Amino acid sequence: MNHSRKKAMQEAFSYLTAILVGVVVIIPFLWMLSTSLKNKGALMQIPIEWIPEEPSLDAYRTVFSRFPLFRAICNSFFITVSYTVVTILSSSMAAFAITKLRFPGADGIFKLYLASMMIPTQVTLIPLFVIMNRLGLINTYPSVILPAMFRAFAVFMLVQQMRAIPNDYMEAARIDGAGIFRIYWKVIMPLTKSAIATLTVTTFMESWNDYLWPLLMLSDKNKMTLTLALNSLNGQYGTEYNLLMAGSLISMLPIVVIYACAQKYFKAGLMSGGVKG
């Protein structure tokens, strides 16, 4: 009886802790939603109005009318989807070659991939900028997308997953007459769908929220991403927080949708990529 009571108290404490953490996490989101529905005069009112007395959608209308926000959303969506697709294809091909083709020097190349993960991203900005400039890609979409061809973490994650796939599947496919690319696409890729789903979500989030690299590459306002557009809401002498929160909430919607669609694979992909070696 005492053991059962102790176990019940532990479960109750765990649930209570989870609820408190959930409440703390959701408070900033609720504040963003509340602020986006306020008019300019109610922003700095004390005490804070968590539920606006006169909710208004003027901030959302103003965000779309002040600059071409819809164009910025389309730019971000195109760049992010392209960046994610390039990342998945390039990293999965590299991981497939390292784990299944076993060419000479595969282990050494994989170690170089791992070593490159220790290099801060900021260190590579100037070399990448020089390369894009010499290729004549400054102020173009490819300049933002092409760095996705080398993602060391993505390769590392998929290598862990593909190493757990028995080579018997490849041998069976070869007996049926399948070539290397058919084995890669029809056999290996479906067996790594959990890791690929996880990588898709994390890559999409990273590219969608990226600010520094698009800022360096894109100077044309018609090509600016959503993060650059939201930054323009920060004025030199003041910030209209209701507009900024409205724009931020709009920018969160694609990430929420992507995560909701891939969440059943997300946990399995993280566990398989982090445990198996």
Side-chain angles (χ1 to χ4, degrees), residues 37-83:
L37 296 175
K38 294 178 181 178
N39 55 45
K40 192 172 182 180
L43 288 176
M44 300 302 176
Q45 185 172 342
I46 298 196
I48 297 176
E49 291 183 359
W50 286 98
I51 302 177
E53 293 183 0
E54 299 179 0
S56 172
L57 296 177
D58 289 342
Y60 293 90
R61 287 190 286 265
T62 303
V63 164
F64 280 95
S65 63
R66 179 165 297 186
F67 51 79
L69 185 66
F70 183 75
R71 179 62 184 270
I73 293 174
C74 292
N75 291 338
S76 284
F77 189 77
F78 172 74
I79 290 174
T80 301
V81 171
S82 301
Y83 188 95

mmCIF file of all heavy atoms in Angstrom, residues 37-83:
data_model
loop_
_atom_site.group_PDB
_atom_site.id
_atom_site.type_symbol
_atom_site.label_atom_id
_atom_site.label_comp_id
_atom_site.label_asym_id
_atom_site.label_seq_id
_atom_site.Cartn_x
_atom_site.Cartn_y
_atom_site.Cartn_z
ATOM 1 N N LEU A 37 -3.232 41.819 -30.792
ATOM 2 C CA LEU A 37 -4.646 42.203 -30.887
ATOM 3 C C LEU A 37 -4.933 43.542 -30.227
ATOM 4 O O LEU A 37 -6.095 43.957 -30.157
ATOM 5 C CB LEU A 37 -5.519 41.116 -30.246
ATOM 6 C CG LEU A 37 -5.484 39.739 -30.922
ATOM 7 C CD1 LEU A 37 -6.296 38.737 -30.128
ATOM 8 C CD2 LEU A 37 -6.004 39.826 -32.351
ATOM 9 N N LYS A 38 -3.893 44.215 -29.734
ATOM 10 C CA LYS A 38 -4.084 45.505 -29.069
ATOM 11 C C LYS A 38 -3.858 46.644 -30.056
ATOM 12 O O LYS A 38 -3.132 46.500 -31.043
ATOM 13 C CB LYS A 38 -3.108 45.655 -27.903
ATOM 14 C CG LYS A 38 -3.333 44.684 -26.755
ATOM 15 C CD LYS A 38 -2.281 44.881 -25.674
ATOM 16 C CE LYS A 38 -2.463 43.899 -24.528
ATOM 17 N NZ LYS A 38 -1.413 44.048 -23.502
ATOM 18 N N ASN A 39 -4.484 47.785 -29.738
ATOM 19 C CA ASN A 39 -4.161 48.981 -30.504
ATOM 20 C C ASN A 39 -2.942 49.648 -29.889
ATOM 21 O O ASN A 39 -2.461 49.247 -28.820
ATOM 22 C CB ASN A 39 -5.357 49.952 -30.546
ATOM 23 C CG ASN A 39 -5.842 50.310 -29.147
ATOM 24 O OD1 ASN A 39 -5.050 50.606 -28.256
ATOM 25 N ND2 ASN A 39 -7.160 50.266 -28.947
ATOM 26 N N LYS A 40 -2.414 50.633 -30.552
ATOM 27 C CA LYS A 40 -1.148 51.222 -30.125
ATOM 28 C C LYS A 40 -1.226 51.826 -28.732
ATOM 29 O O LYS A 40 -0.266 51.784 -27.962
ATOM 30 C CB LYS A 40 -0.710 52.287 -31.135
ATOM 31 C CG LYS A 40 0.711 52.754 -30.956
ATOM 32 C CD LYS A 40 1.125 53.662 -32.098
ATOM 33 C CE LYS A 40 2.574 54.101 -31.937
ATOM 34 N NZ LYS A 40 2.998 54.995 -33.049
ATOM 35 N N GLY A 41 -2.384 52.375 -28.354
ATOM 36 C CA GLY A 41 -2.498 53.017 -27.053
ATOM 37 C C GLY A 41 -2.512 52.058 -25.885
ATOM 38 O O GLY A 41 -2.159 52.429 -24.760
ATOM 39 N N ALA A 42 -2.901 50.813 -26.126
ATOM 40 C CA ALA A 42 -3.025 49.843 -25.035
ATOM 41 C C ALA A 42 -1.760 49.023 -24.820
ATOM 42 O O ALA A 42 -1.720 48.193 -23.910
ATOM 43 C CB ALA A 42 -4.197 48.907 -25.318
ATOM 44 N N LEU A 43 -0.721 49.261 -25.622
ATOM 45 C CA LEU A 43 0.477 48.422 -25.536
ATOM 46 C C LEU A 43 1.193 48.563 -24.199
ATOM 47 O O LEU A 43 1.619 47.588 -23.595
ATOM 48 C CB LEU A 43 1.448 48.776 -26.681
ATOM 49 C CG LEU A 43 1.025 48.341 -28.076
ATOM 50 C CD1 LEU A 43 2.023 48.826 -29.111
ATOM 51 C CD2 LEU A 43 0.878 46.832 -28.157
ATOM 52 N N MET A 44 1.360 49.813 -23.743
ATOM 53 C CA MET A 44 2.136 50.072 -22.536
ATOM 54 C C MET A 44 1.269 50.301 -21.315
ATOM 55 O O MET A 44 1.723 50.864 -20.328
ATOM 56 C CB MET A 44 3.041 51.295 -22.764
ATOM 57 C CG MET A 44 4.024 51.110 -23.900
ATOM 58 S SD MET A 44 5.111 49.672 -23.632
ATOM 59 C CE MET A 44 6.027 49.658 -25.171
ATOM 60 N N GLN A 45 0.030 49.889 -21.396
ATOM 61 C CA GLN A 45 -0.887 50.117 -20.278
ATOM 62 C C GLN A 45 -0.518 49.231 -19.094
ATOM 63 O O GLN A 45 -0.160 48.074 -19.243
ATOM 64 C CB GLN A 45 -2.319 49.829 -20.723
ATOM 65 C CG GLN A 45 -3.359 50.158 -19.661
ATOM 66 C CD GLN A 45 -4.756 50.038 -20.212
ATOM 67 O OE1 GLN A 45 -4.953 50.034 -21.421
ATOM 68 N NE2 GLN A 45 -5.732 49.941 -19.320
ATOM 69 N N ILE A 46 -0.571 49.819 -17.906
ATOM 70 C CA ILE A 46 -0.272 49.097 -16.674
ATOM 71 C C ILE A 46 -1.494 49.192 -15.751
ATOM 72 O O ILE A 46 -2.001 50.290 -15.518
ATOM 73 C CB ILE A 46 0.977 49.670 -15.989
ATOM 74 C CG1 ILE A 46 2.137 49.488 -16.933
ATOM 75 C CG2 ILE A 46 1.201 49.023 -14.645
ATOM 76 C CD1 ILE A 46 3.486 49.615 -16.416
ATOM 77 N N PRO A 47 -1.946 48.059 -15.210
ATOM 78 C CA PRO A 47 -1.424 46.685 -15.367
ATOM 79 C C PRO A 47 -1.636 46.142 -16.778
ATOM 80 O O PRO A 47 -2.490 46.625 -17.515
ATOM 81 C CB PRO A 47 -2.226 45.887 -14.336
ATOM 82 C CG PRO A 47 -3.510 46.645 -14.209
ATOM 83 C CD PRO A 47 -3.159 48.090 -14.360
ATOM 84 N N ILE A 48 -0.873 45.140 -17.128
ATOM 85 C CA ILE A 48 -0.923 44.575 -18.462
ATOM 86 C C ILE A 48 -2.287 43.935 -18.719
ATOM 87 O O ILE A 48 -2.814 43.225 -17.871
ATOM 88 C CB ILE A 48 0.193 43.524 -18.647
ATOM 89 C CG1 ILE A 48 1.563 44.178 -18.514
ATOM 90 C CG2 ILE A 48 0.063 42.823 -19.991
ATOM 91 C CD1 ILE A 48 2.714 43.199 -18.578
ATOM 92 N N GLU A 49 -2.822 44.199 -19.880
ATOM 93 C CA GLU A 49 -4.088 43.582 -20.282
ATOM 94 C C GLU A 49 -3.781 42.273 -21.020
ATOM 95 O O GLU A 49 -3.405 42.280 -22.192
ATOM 96 C CB GLU A 49 -4.878 44.519 -21.209
ATOM 97 C CG GLU A 49 -5.422 45.756 -20.525
ATOM 98 C CD GLU A 49 -6.253 46.599 -21.490
ATOM 99 O OE1 GLU A 49 -6.362 46.215 -22.674
ATOM 100 O OE2 GLU A 49 -6.778 47.628 -21.066
ATOM 101 N N TRP A 50 -3.947 41.158 -20.346
ATOM 102 C CA TRP A 50 -3.725 39.882 -21.017
ATOM 103 C C TRP A 50 -4.842 39.603 -22.006
ATOM 104 O O TRP A 50 -4.617 38.969 -23.042
ATOM 105 C CB TRP A 50 -3.627 38.760 -19.990
ATOM 106 C CG TRP A 50 -2.325 38.770 -19.243
ATOM 107 C CD1 TRP A 50 -2.089 39.300 -18.012
ATOM 108 C CD2 TRP A 50 -1.071 38.247 -19.697
ATOM 109 N NE1 TRP A 50 -0.763 39.142 -17.671
ATOM 110 C CE2 TRP A 50 -0.123 38.483 -18.681
ATOM 111 C CE3 TRP A 50 -0.666 37.599 -20.857
ATOM 112 C CZ2 TRP A 50 1.211 38.107 -18.800
ATOM 113 C CZ3 TRP A 50 0.663 37.207 -20.979
ATOM 114 C CH2 TRP A 50 1.585 37.470 -19.958
ATOM 115 N N ILE A 51 -6.042 40.054 -21.675
ATOM 116 C CA ILE A 51 -7.169 39.963 -22.605
ATOM 117 C C ILE A 51 -7.561 41.383 -22.989
ATOM 118 O O ILE A 51 -8.107 42.125 -22.166
ATOM 119 C CB ILE A 51 -8.365 39.225 -21.967
ATOM 120 C CG1 ILE A 51 -7.958 37.817 -21.532
ATOM 121 C CG2 ILE A 51 -9.533 39.166 -22.948
ATOM 122 C CD1 ILE A 51 -9.062 37.049 -20.833
ATOM 123 N N PRO A 52 -7.254 41.817 -24.213
ATOM 124 C CA PRO A 52 -7.542 43.203 -24.618
ATOM 125 C C PRO A 52 -9.013 43.538 -24.473
ATOM 126 O O PRO A 52 -9.891 42.735 -24.817
ATOM 127 C CB PRO A 52 -7.102 43.239 -26.092
ATOM 128 C CG PRO A 52 -6.155 42.091 -26.246
ATOM 129 C CD PRO A 52 -6.631 41.036 -25.295
ATOM 130 N N GLU A 53 -9.294 44.732 -23.929
ATOM 131 C CA GLU A 53 -10.682 45.161 -23.782
ATOM 132 C C GLU A 53 -11.324 45.408 -25.144
ATOM 133 O O GLU A 53 -12.513 45.159 -25.337
ATOM 134 C CB GLU A 53 -10.739 46.435 -22.931
ATOM 135 C CG GLU A 53 -10.327 46.208 -21.472
ATOM 136 C CD GLU A 53 -10.468 47.475 -20.657
ATOM 137 O OE1 GLU A 53 -10.876 48.512 -21.242
ATOM 138 O OE2 GLU A 53 -10.177 47.433 -19.449
ATOM 139 N N GLU A 54 -10.519 45.929 -26.086
ATOM 140 C CA GLU A 54 -11.013 46.180 -27.435
ATOM 141 C C GLU A 54 -10.093 45.493 -28.444
ATOM 142 O O GLU A 54 -9.233 46.123 -29.051
ATOM 143 C CB GLU A 54 -11.085 47.683 -27.712
ATOM 144 C CG GLU A 54 -12.018 48.428 -26.769
ATOM 145 C CD GLU A 54 -12.040 49.920 -27.064
ATOM 146 O OE1 GLU A 54 -11.320 50.339 -28.007
ATOM 147 O OE2 GLU A 54 -12.762 50.641 -26.372
ATOM 148 N N PRO A 55 -10.213 44.170 -28.602
ATOM 149 C CA PRO A 55 -9.338 43.461 -29.544
ATOM 150 C C PRO A 55 -9.547 43.946 -30.968
ATOM 151 O O PRO A 55 -10.661 44.273 -31.383
ATOM 152 C CB PRO A 55 -9.756 41.995 -29.386
ATOM 153 C CG PRO A 55 -11.128 42.038 -28.823
ATOM 154 C CD PRO A 55 -11.184 43.267 -27.969
ATOM 155 N N SER A 56 -8.444 44.009 -31.698
ATOM 156 C CA SER A 56 -8.499 44.534 -33.060
ATOM 157 C C SER A 56 -7.513 43.780 -33.948
ATOM 158 O O SER A 56 -6.454 43.345 -33.491
ATOM 159 C CB SER A 56 -8.159 46.031 -33.058
ATOM 160 O OG SER A 56 -8.035 46.517 -34.372
ATOM 161 N N LEU A 57 -7.873 43.642 -35.213
ATOM 162 C CA LEU A 57 -6.992 43.010 -36.200
ATOM 163 C C LEU A 57 -6.251 44.043 -37.038
ATOM 164 O O LEU A 57 -5.673 43.707 -38.076
ATOM 165 C CB LEU A 57 -7.813 42.100 -37.123
ATOM 166 C CG LEU A 57 -8.502 40.896 -36.452
ATOM 167 C CD1 LEU A 57 -9.345 40.139 -37.471
ATOM 168 C CD2 LEU A 57 -7.474 39.966 -35.818
ATOM 169 N N ASP A 58 -6.247 45.307 -36.563
ATOM 170 C CA ASP A 58 -5.589 46.373 -37.327
ATOM 171 C C ASP A 58 -4.110 46.097 -37.525
ATOM 172 O O ASP A 58 -3.540 46.441 -38.571
ATOM 173 C CB ASP A 58 -5.772 47.715 -36.614
ATOM 174 C CG ASP A 58 -7.203 48.204 -36.688
ATOM 175 O OD1 ASP A 58 -7.948 47.696 -37.556
ATOM 176 O OD2 ASP A 58 -7.583 49.075 -35.875
ATOM 177 N N ALA A 59 -3.453 45.474 -36.520
ATOM 178 C CA ALA A 59 -2.019 45.211 -36.644
ATOM 179 C C ALA A 59 -1.740 44.262 -37.801
ATOM 180 O O ALA A 59 -0.771 44.437 -38.550
ATOM 181 C CB ALA A 59 -1.480 44.619 -35.337
ATOM 182 N N TYR A 60 -2.586 43.259 -37.983
ATOM 183 C CA TYR A 60 -2.400 42.305 -39.081
ATOM 184 C C TYR A 60 -2.632 42.974 -40.430
ATOM 185 O O TYR A 60 -1.883 42.725 -41.390
ATOM 186 C CB TYR A 60 -3.348 41.117 -38.911
ATOM 187 C CG TYR A 60 -3.027 40.264 -37.711
ATOM 188 C CD1 TYR A 60 -3.598 40.523 -36.462
ATOM 189 C CD2 TYR A 60 -2.133 39.198 -37.816
ATOM 190 C CE1 TYR A 60 -3.308 39.740 -35.360
ATOM 191 C CE2 TYR A 60 -1.833 38.404 -36.710
ATOM 192 C CZ TYR A 60 -2.423 38.687 -35.486
ATOM 193 O OH TYR A 60 -2.118 37.912 -34.386
ATOM 194 N N ARG A 61 -3.654 43.827 -40.505
ATOM 195 C CA ARG A 61 -3.904 44.539 -41.755
ATOM 196 C C ARG A 61 -2.768 45.500 -42.071
ATOM 197 O O ARG A 61 -2.357 45.633 -43.230
ATOM 198 C CB ARG A 61 -5.237 45.287 -41.668
ATOM 199 C CG ARG A 61 -6.454 44.384 -41.743
ATOM 200 C CD ARG A 61 -7.727 45.197 -41.906
ATOM 201 N NE ARG A 61 -8.082 45.859 -40.639
ATOM 202 C CZ ARG A 61 -8.939 45.358 -39.753
ATOM 203 N NH1 ARG A 61 -9.519 44.177 -39.994
ATOM 204 N NH2 ARG A 61 -9.233 46.008 -38.657
ATOM 205 N N THR A 62 -2.242 46.167 -41.040
ATOM 206 C CA THR A 62 -1.161 47.118 -41.257
ATOM 207 C C THR A 62 0.120 46.424 -41.714
ATOM 208 O O THR A 62 0.843 46.936 -42.567
ATOM 209 C CB THR A 62 -0.882 47.903 -39.955
ATOM 210 O OG1 THR A 62 -2.076 48.550 -39.520
ATOM 211 C CG2 THR A 62 0.206 48.960 -40.186
ATOM 212 N N VAL A 63 0.389 45.248 -41.136
ATOM 213 C CA VAL A 63 1.590 44.494 -41.522
ATOM 214 C C VAL A 63 1.574 44.182 -43.011
ATOM 215 O O VAL A 63 2.581 44.318 -43.708
ATOM 216 C CB VAL A 63 1.697 43.200 -40.690
ATOM 217 C CG1 VAL A 63 2.684 42.232 -41.317
ATOM 218 C CG2 VAL A 63 2.142 43.522 -39.277
ATOM 219 N N PHE A 64 0.411 43.772 -43.536
ATOM 220 C CA PHE A 64 0.325 43.423 -44.956
ATOM 221 C C PHE A 64 0.288 44.649 -45.862
ATOM 222 O O PHE A 64 0.650 44.551 -47.038
ATOM 223 C CB PHE A 64 -0.914 42.568 -45.214
ATOM 224 C CG PHE A 64 -0.729 41.119 -44.858
ATOM 225 C CD1 PHE A 64 -1.119 40.645 -43.616
ATOM 226 C CD2 PHE A 64 -0.158 40.238 -45.766
ATOM 227 C CE1 PHE A 64 -0.947 39.299 -43.289
ATOM 228 C CE2 PHE A 64 0.021 38.901 -45.444
ATOM 229 C CZ PHE A 64 -0.378 38.437 -44.199
ATOM 230 N N SER A 65 -0.134 45.790 -45.334
ATOM 231 C CA SER A 65 -0.226 46.983 -46.170
ATOM 232 C C SER A 65 1.045 47.828 -46.158
ATOM 233 O O SER A 65 1.290 48.586 -47.094
ATOM 234 C CB SER A 65 -1.416 47.851 -45.707
ATOM 235 O OG SER A 65 -1.222 48.308 -44.372
ATOM 236 N N ARG A 66 1.855 47.694 -45.110
ATOM 237 C CA ARG A 66 3.034 48.553 -44.988
ATOM 238 C C ARG A 66 4.115 48.166 -45.979
ATOM 239 O O ARG A 66 4.814 49.011 -46.519
ATOM 240 C CB ARG A 66 3.574 48.512 -43.559
ATOM 241 C CG ARG A 66 4.808 49.354 -43.353
ATOM 242 C CD ARG A 66 5.098 49.584 -41.891
ATOM 243 N NE ARG A 66 4.037 50.327 -41.215
ATOM 244 C CZ ARG A 66 4.113 50.757 -39.955
ATOM 245 N NH1 ARG A 66 5.199 50.491 -39.232
ATOM 246 N NH2 ARG A 66 3.126 51.426 -39.412
ATOM 247 N N PHE A 67 4.311 46.901 -46.231
ATOM 248 C CA PHE A 67 5.297 46.430 -47.209
ATOM 249 C C PHE A 67 4.794 45.102 -47.767
ATOM 250 O O PHE A 67 3.862 44.500 -47.230
ATOM 251 C CB PHE A 67 6.684 46.268 -46.577
ATOM 252 C CG PHE A 67 6.706 45.455 -45.325
ATOM 253 C CD1 PHE A 67 6.667 44.073 -45.353
ATOM 254 C CD2 PHE A 67 6.750 46.085 -44.077
ATOM 255 C CE1 PHE A 67 6.682 43.330 -44.194
ATOM 256 C CE2 PHE A 67 6.766 45.337 -42.919
ATOM 257 C CZ PHE A 67 6.725 43.963 -42.975
ATOM 258 N N PRO A 68 5.377 44.630 -48.860
ATOM 259 C CA PRO A 68 4.893 43.379 -49.486
ATOM 260 C C PRO A 68 5.202 42.154 -48.644
ATOM 261 O O PRO A 68 6.097 41.362 -48.967
ATOM 262 C CB PRO A 68 5.627 43.360 -50.835
ATOM 263 C CG PRO A 68 6.864 44.156 -50.611
ATOM 264 C CD PRO A 68 6.477 45.239 -49.650
ATOM 265 N N LEU A 69 4.450 41.988 -47.552
ATOM 266 C CA LEU A 69 4.700 40.864 -46.647
ATOM 267 C C LEU A 69 4.393 39.534 -47.321
ATOM 268 O O LEU A 69 5.101 38.543 -47.109
ATOM 269 C CB LEU A 69 3.858 41.009 -45.381
ATOM 270 C CG LEU A 69 4.111 39.959 -44.290
ATOM 271 C CD1 LEU A 69 5.509 40.108 -43.716
ATOM 272 C CD2 LEU A 69 3.074 40.078 -43.170
ATOM 273 N N PHE A 70 3.346 39.505 -48.156
ATOM 274 C CA PHE A 70 3.017 38.264 -48.841
ATOM 275 C C PHE A 70 4.159 37.832 -49.754
ATOM 276 O O PHE A 70 4.477 36.642 -49.851
ATOM 277 C CB PHE A 70 1.726 38.425 -49.648
ATOM 278 C CG PHE A 70 1.281 37.173 -50.331
ATOM 279 C CD1 PHE A 70 0.702 36.129 -49.622
ATOM 280 C CD2 PHE A 70 1.451 37.023 -51.704
ATOM 281 C CE1 PHE A 70 0.299 34.962 -50.255
ATOM 282 C CE2 PHE A 70 1.056 35.856 -52.343
ATOM 283 C CZ PHE A 70 0.479 34.831 -51.616
ATOM 284 N N ARG A 71 4.804 38.799 -50.410
ATOM 285 C CA ARG A 71 5.960 38.474 -51.264
ATOM 286 C C ARG A 71 7.111 37.941 -50.414
ATOM 287 O O ARG A 71 7.803 36.987 -50.807
ATOM 288 C CB ARG A 71 6.402 39.722 -52.040
ATOM 289 C CG ARG A 71 7.616 39.521 -52.942
ATOM 290 C CD ARG A 71 7.332 38.492 -54.010
ATOM 291 N NE ARG A 71 8.496 38.213 -54.831
ATOM 292 C CZ ARG A 71 8.786 38.870 -55.942
ATOM 293 N NH1 ARG A 71 7.979 39.846 -56.382
ATOM 294 N NH2 ARG A 71 9.844 38.552 -56.659
ATOM 295 N N ALA A 72 7.315 38.528 -49.242
ATOM 296 C CA ALA A 72 8.377 38.062 -48.351
ATOM 297 C C ALA A 72 8.090 36.643 -47.864
ATOM 298 O O ALA A 72 9.005 35.815 -47.749
ATOM 299 C CB ALA A 72 8.519 39.011 -47.158
ATOM 300 N N ILE A 73 6.817 36.331 -47.583
ATOM 301 C CA ILE A 73 6.442 34.985 -47.165
ATOM 302 C C ILE A 73 6.720 33.990 -48.292
ATOM 303 O O ILE A 73 7.256 32.896 -48.060
ATOM 304 C CB ILE A 73 4.963 34.942 -46.743
ATOM 305 C CG1 ILE A 73 4.744 35.773 -45.471
ATOM 306 C CG2 ILE A 73 4.496 33.505 -46.527
ATOM 307 C CD1 ILE A 73 3.289 35.904 -45.067
ATOM 308 N N CYS A 74 6.361 34.365 -49.513
ATOM 309 C CA CYS A 74 6.619 33.488 -50.666
ATOM 310 C C CYS A 74 8.116 33.275 -50.863
ATOM 311 O O CYS A 74 8.556 32.156 -51.168
ATOM 312 C CB CYS A 74 5.990 34.074 -51.924
ATOM 313 S SG CYS A 74 4.181 34.080 -51.925
ATOM 314 N N ASN A 75 8.913 34.350 -50.703
ATOM 315 C CA ASN A 75 10.363 34.222 -50.828
ATOM 316 C C ASN A 75 10.912 33.263 -49.779
ATOM 317 O O ASN A 75 11.734 32.387 -50.085
ATOM 318 C CB ASN A 75 11.027 35.590 -50.683
ATOM 319 C CG ASN A 75 10.739 36.510 -51.849
ATOM 320 O OD1 ASN A 75 10.392 36.060 -52.944
ATOM 321 N ND2 ASN A 75 10.859 37.801 -51.619
ATOM 322 N N SER A 76 10.472 33.438 -48.534
ATOM 323 C CA SER A 76 10.940 32.569 -47.456
ATOM 324 C C SER A 76 10.530 31.131 -47.708
ATOM 325 O O SER A 76 11.323 30.200 -47.473
ATOM 326 C CB SER A 76 10.376 33.045 -46.111
ATOM 327 O OG SER A 76 11.047 34.187 -45.654
ATOM 328 N N PHE A 77 9.305 30.938 -48.181
ATOM 329 C CA PHE A 77 8.831 29.578 -48.419
ATOM 330 C C PHE A 77 9.637 28.908 -49.525
ATOM 331 O O PHE A 77 10.047 27.744 -49.396
ATOM 332 C CB PHE A 77 7.350 29.607 -48.792
ATOM 333 C CG PHE A 77 6.719 28.252 -48.838
ATOM 334 C CD1 PHE A 77 6.372 27.581 -47.673
ATOM 335 C CD2 PHE A 77 6.460 27.640 -50.054
ATOM 336 C CE1 PHE A 77 5.797 26.325 -47.718
ATOM 337 C CE2 PHE A 77 5.889 26.380 -50.108
ATOM 338 C CZ PHE A 77 5.552 25.721 -48.940
ATOM 339 N N PHE A 78 9.898 29.643 -50.602
ATOM 340 C CA PHE A 78 10.672 29.079 -51.714
ATOM 341 C C PHE A 78 12.094 28.736 -51.268
ATOM 342 O O PHE A 78 12.601 27.648 -51.544
ATOM 343 C CB PHE A 78 10.708 30.069 -52.879
ATOM 344 C CG PHE A 78 11.643 29.665 -53.986
ATOM 345 C CD1 PHE A 78 11.311 28.631 -54.850
ATOM 346 C CD2 PHE A 78 12.866 30.304 -54.145
ATOM 347 C CE1 PHE A 78 12.180 28.247 -55.867
ATOM 348 C CE2 PHE A 78 13.735 29.924 -55.150
ATOM 349 C CZ PHE A 78 13.391 28.887 -56.018
ATOM 350 N N ILE A 79 12.738 29.671 -50.576
ATOM 351 C CA ILE A 79 14.112 29.449 -50.132
ATOM 352 C C ILE A 79 14.172 28.301 -49.126
ATOM 353 O O ILE A 79 15.047 27.435 -49.201
ATOM 354 C CB ILE A 79 14.687 30.747 -49.523
ATOM 355 C CG1 ILE A 79 14.908 31.780 -50.617
ATOM 356 C CG2 ILE A 79 15.993 30.469 -48.780
ATOM 357 C CD1 ILE A 79 15.331 33.152 -50.094
ATOM 358 N N THR A 80 13.241 28.292 -48.177
ATOM 359 C CA THR A 80 13.264 27.272 -47.130
ATOM 360 C C THR A 80 13.003 25.883 -47.682
ATOM 361 O O THR A 80 13.702 24.918 -47.329
ATOM 362 C CB THR A 80 12.225 27.607 -46.049
ATOM 363 O OG1 THR A 80 12.525 28.892 -45.485
ATOM 364 C CG2 THR A 80 12.234 26.568 -44.944
ATOM 365 N N VAL A 81 12.013 25.748 -48.548
ATOM 366 C CA VAL A 81 11.713 24.441 -49.147
ATOM 367 C C VAL A 81 12.891 23.964 -49.992
ATOM 368 O O VAL A 81 13.303 22.793 -49.913
ATOM 369 C CB VAL A 81 10.423 24.506 -49.984
ATOM 370 C CG1 VAL A 81 10.236 23.217 -50.786
ATOM 371 C CG2 VAL A 81 9.217 24.745 -49.089
ATOM 372 N N SER A 82 13.458 24.873 -50.798
ATOM 373 C CA SER A 82 14.607 24.502 -51.628
ATOM 374 C C SER A 82 15.798 24.119 -50.766
ATOM 375 O O SER A 82 16.479 23.118 -51.039
ATOM 376 C CB SER A 82 14.988 25.669 -52.548
ATOM 377 O OG SER A 82 13.909 26.032 -53.382
ATOM 378 N N TYR A 83 16.048 24.887 -49.718
ATOM 379 C CA TYR A 83 17.157 24.605 -48.809
ATOM 380 C C TYR A 83 16.975 23.241 -48.143
ATOM 381 O O TYR A 83 17.923 22.452 -48.027
ATOM 382 C CB TYR A 83 17.226 25.710 -47.754
ATOM 383 C CG TYR A 83 18.442 25.669 -46.861
ATOM 384 C CD1 TYR A 83 19.564 26.427 -47.168
ATOM 385 C CD2 TYR A 83 18.472 24.899 -45.706
ATOM 386 C CE1 TYR A 83 20.679 26.404 -46.347
ATOM 387 C CE2 TYR A 83 19.579 24.864 -44.889
ATOM 388 C CZ TYR A 83 20.679 25.634 -45.216
ATOM 389 O OH TYR A 83 21.794 25.600 -44.401
#
